[in-house]
Amino acid sequence: MAQWTSAVGAAQLARLLTSQQNRPAGPGTKRPPAYRALADGIRLLVLEGRVPVAARLPAERELALALSVSRTTVATAYEALRTEGFLESRRGAGSWTAVPAGNPLPARGLEPLPPEALGSMIDLGTAALPAPEPWLTRAFQGALEELPPYAHTHGDYPAGLPALRAMIADRYTACGIATMPEQIMVTTGAMGAMDAICHLFAGRGERVAVESPSYANILQLMREAGARLVPVAMAEGLAGWDVDRWRQVLREAAPRLAYVVADFHNPTGALADEDQRRRLVDAARSAGTVLVADETMTELWLDDDLEMPRPVCAFDPAGSTVITVGSASKAFWAGMRIGWVRAAPDVIRSLVAARAYADLGTPVLEQLAVNWLFSTGGWEQAVELRRGQARENRDALVAAVRRELPGWEFEVPRGGLTLWVRTGGLSGSRLAEVGERVGVRVPSGPRFGVDGAFEGYVRLPFTVGGAVAEEAAVRLGAAARLVESGVTGAGESVRPFVA
């Protein structure tokens, strides 16, 4: 049986290889033999995630024609990649991309740093900000006032409190997407929503198409559910979604489920425009794939002149193709574990029925707190405060990284909480390891890929600003110098940071 899950056409691979040639070479760089340049180009595309792992490559003759080189050049390049562990082949099945055996691959997302360690470590591992006070306190005070009637019941609401379901439905309707409360299920955060969706639609062995890179914790949740992940490469920078590539993967791999973060994508920060959203929905509908749109970042636009596109579900208002996941955790506070699902009523009923064997329901007091925020206008004021914090942090972090690490490459997103950074050829995994020794914690690129891609990247969230952002960049610079010199950093001491 073939081991590939997607395919890269000859013309597409030729375009990707050509785009690499536009990158400046280092001074004194000698031009390698043609086969070596081709092998190195394909290897870099795999490591950067622009060509997914387990993607079938074109036949030697097809690629040779597309690149205007000899078939011998392509055959020799493929053989070099096989020797290095970046290509596997089987007679009758073709050749597909791989990563060398034995490479350490991070299996999980980065766990939050314990609060007691924050005095000595600058934590850039988690994309979450402190609570926007006084709105957190006011929300729970309001919730406590509303609690007595609910306290006289059993307290189990598998679909969520009726008042909150109606409020969330009204918010979609106000955006021009007619929604009934029966189309809403309240969950324990977005992770609770995704867990329920995966168990309903993506059982063990089912294929799930995911962006490459994508959100680390969701990737791990899907792995543990037994799904077979089919990565679809994002375009470089903030260009986002190559819809033609998505259409090809959905048609050829026939995944049961697809997962996208169209609003300030985690980790790249890309924002899908309306045409990309419409075409993604059309591609999923044509392939019979359920498209899950993660909207947890949607309200975190940071530039005042940005006009937000309509939600993905606006192009499938009945919910027959698109399932939307929302959450209070990113826009408000990570400790507010309230999420929701918007889908067709029959899908919601199935999710609710399956929930009886999971967590039964979501805490009532937190639901009442979110309902208070929505109904009083407190949500809009709290999110505006959150945007201001993230905007200041983003600008401070960008300036500091550009000053301390001028060789690192990134584009500044217009919203969200994350900066996706190419590390000038350094190993993101080594930077993460050495960084912790010098007092800064960052997640390496491979955490956001499938099977070892993105080794040359790190993710930097907008969670610190001012002097802390400047010190974080200084420590990242120190880690980079240690990695460049081949020093492990084991002898470096971690000093406490005082703002």
Side-chain angles (χ1 to χ4, degrees):
M1 179 180 176
Q3 299 300 306
W4 52 271
T5 56
S6 62
V8 180
Q12 179 186 353
L13 183 55
R15 285 195 301 270
L16 291 170
L17 290 165
T18 301
S19 70
Q20 283 184 336
Q21 296 172 4
N22 297 326
R23 295 185 188 174
T29 302
K30 294 182 179 180
R31 187 172 183 176
Y35 86 88
R36 185 68 263 173
L38 176 55
D40 289 346
I42 294 174
R43 176 177 55 82
L44 184 59
L45 289 172
V46 172
L47 288 174
E48 290 191 346
R50 299 177 66 200
V51 168
V53 175
R56 186 179 63 177
L57 295 186
E60 295 169 1
R61 187 185 303 277
E62 293 175 358
L63 186 57
L65 288 171
L67 293 174
S68 299
V69 299
S70 71
R71 182 177 178 181
T72 300
T73 297
V74 177
T76 307
Y78 277 15
E79 182 57 36
L81 290 168
R82 275 190 287 269
T83 301
E84 296 161 6
F86 286 94
L87 197 67
E88 296 181 8
S89 303
R90 181 175 300 166
R91 186 178 298 276
S95 299
W96 56 91
T97 55
V99 291
N103 276 20
L105 303 180
R108 296 181 173 273
L110 205 62
E111 302 297 330
L113 192 68
E116 61 269 17
L118 293 176
S120 61
M121 186 77 70
I122 298 177
D123 185 13
L124 299 181
T126 304
L129 290 163
E133 289 287 28
W135 298 108
L136 177 66
T137 299
R138 291 182 182 177
F140 275 99
Q141 288 172 340
L144 286 170
E145 293 177 1
E146 299 292 332
L147 182 62
Y150 295 94
H152 292 294
T153 73
H154 50 63
D156 287 336
Y157 296 89
L161 294 183
L164 182 55
R165 295 177 72 195
M167 182 64 68
I168 295 171
D170 288 345
R171 289 173 67 84
Y172 279 106
T173 300
C175 292
I177 307 162
T179 303
M180 305 178 294
E182 292 79 8
Q183 290 179 263
I184 303 295
M185 181 178 82
V186 180
T187 62
T188 307
M191 291 295 289
M194 285 303 305
D195 182 63
I197 293 167
C198 286
H199 278 88
L200 182 61
F201 288 98
R204 187 161 298 277
E206 290 278 6
R207 290 179 173 177
V208 179
V210 295
E211 298 146 328
S212 182
S214 188
Y215 180 38
N217 289 335
I218 293 295
L219 293 180
Q220 183 60 21
L221 183 153
M222 292 176 176
R223 290 186 188 102
E224 294 189 355
R228 296 176 60 193
L229 302 185
V230 181
V232 186
M234 297 283 284
E236 282 202 273
L238 299 179
W241 295 260
D242 183 337
V243 182
D244 289 337
R245 187 179 302 178
W246 269 94
R247 189 177 297 277
Q248 176 188 0
V249 170
L250 295 181
R251 181 178 63 249
E252 294 179 353
R256 183 73 180 89
L257 201 67
Y259 170 78
V260 298
V261 186
D263 298 299
F264 310 118
H265 175 261
N266 186 353
T268 68
L271 175 66
D273 60 33
E274 290 214 358
D275 182 61
Q276 287 173 322
R277 294 165 190 247
R278 179 184 295 105
R279 293 174 63 205
L280 277 171
V281 173
D282 288 344
R285 183 182 293 115
S286 298
T289 298
V290 176
L291 180 65
V292 180
D294 184 332
E295 287 188 346
T296 53
M297 295 281 190
T298 190
E299 297 197 58
L300 290 176
W301 46 266
L302 304 183
D303 294 340
D304 291 335
D305 62 341
L306 177 61
E307 183 176 347
M308 287 293 293
R310 287 178 290 170
V312 175
C313 62
F315 305 99
D316 179 52
S320 59
T321 297
V322 176
I323 296 178
T324 301
V325 171
S327 173
S329 299
K330 292 297 185 185
F332 187 78
W333 184 47
M336 186 72 82
R337 305 306 304 162
I338 297 295
W340 54 86
V341 177
R342 181 197 181 276
D346 62 319
V347 172
I348 294 297
R349 287 193 293 271
S350 297
L351 290 170
V352 171
R355 193 174 192 179
Y357 306 101
D359 62 356
L360 293 178
T362 301
V364 169
L365 189 62
E366 291 190 24
Q367 292 187 72
L368 289 171
V370 172
N371 194 59
W372 183 92
L373 288 165
F374 284 157
S375 62
T376 62
W379 176 266
E380 285 71 22
Q381 295 182 66
V383 172
E384 182 60 33
L385 176 62
R386 169 68 83 239
R387 290 192 195 107
Q389 292 174 324
R391 185 183 303 115
E392 291 179 7
N393 289 355
R394 177 194 64 180
D395 296 345
L397 186 64
V398 164
V401 172
R402 282 177 172 165
R403 182 180 63 251
E404 298 294 333
L405 294 148
W408 288 18
E409 302 173 47
F410 56 86
E411 291 189 37
V412 181
R414 306 194 68 184
L417 289 172
T418 57
L419 198 66
W420 186 238
V421 182
R422 181 185 283 122
T423 56
L426 299 180
S427 163
S429 299
R430 295 289 294 131
L431 282 166
E433 177 187 353
V434 175
E436 293 214 25
R437 299 183 184 278
V438 299
V440 61
R441 194 164 183 257
V442 295
S444 63
R447 294 186 181 276
F448 304 91
V450 177
D451 297 329
F454 307 107
E455 184 56 62
Y457 288 81
V458 294
R459 188 193 74 171
L460 305 180
F462 314 142
T463 52
V464 297
V468 185
E470 293 179 8
E471 177 66 13
V474 168
R475 296 187 186 188
L476 281 171
R481 288 188 293 275
L482 288 169
V483 172
E484 285 176 332
S485 65
V487 177
T488 64
E492 294 288 323
S493 61
V494 176
R495 56 193 176 96
F497 177 77
V498 181

